[in-house]
Amino acid sequence: AHDSGDAEQMLGRGMRPSDVGRRLRVWFQSDEHGERDFEYAAVLQVHGAAGVDQEVTVEWDSGVQERVLLKDLGRFTWLGDDTAADVTANLREYREESLGGAEEAQA
């Protein structure tokens, strides 16, 4: 089973040094379509003690590294417990992006 959480749930537990290297699916509201969407990232560093001001450094799959407040990540799901589900989700996202790119190219 995947652990999932949002800022309020995770602020109590926080992230731990043992979370470095774990992968996340981070949910957000898409500006482009106004729908829920997600991005993938890996935890690179955990900064400070658990709480409102705890920060983490993540590397998004795009290669961009970002240091953010844990509460600003919003809702996320830990990946890695079910590799098949993770691969399926990655393929689905890639397919949707490919279809979207093809539709834009024809516009």
Side-chain angles (χ1 to χ4, degrees), residues 34-101:
E35 299 172 359
R36 275 186 68 177
D37 202 354
F38 52 86
E39 292 290 336
Y40 295 97
V43 177
L44 296 181
Q45 288 184 298
V46 177
H47 310 278
V52 176
D53 296 323
Q54 186 177 34
E55 293 181 316
V56 295
T57 299
V58 296
E59 182 172 357
W60 301 102
D61 279 2
S62 65
V64 173
Q65 293 183 11
E66 182 178 18
R67 184 170 173 161
V68 297
L69 287 169
L70 182 59
K71 67 181 179 180
D72 291 342
L73 277 180
R75 183 164 181 75
F76 65 88
T77 305
W78 290 108
L79 300 178
D81 296 333
D82 185 345
T83 303
D86 295 346
V87 169
T88 301
N90 281 333
L91 290 172
R92 185 178 312 120
E93 180 180 17
Y94 177 75
R95 180 179 176 269
E96 289 172 5
E97 288 175 357
S98 296
L99 289 173

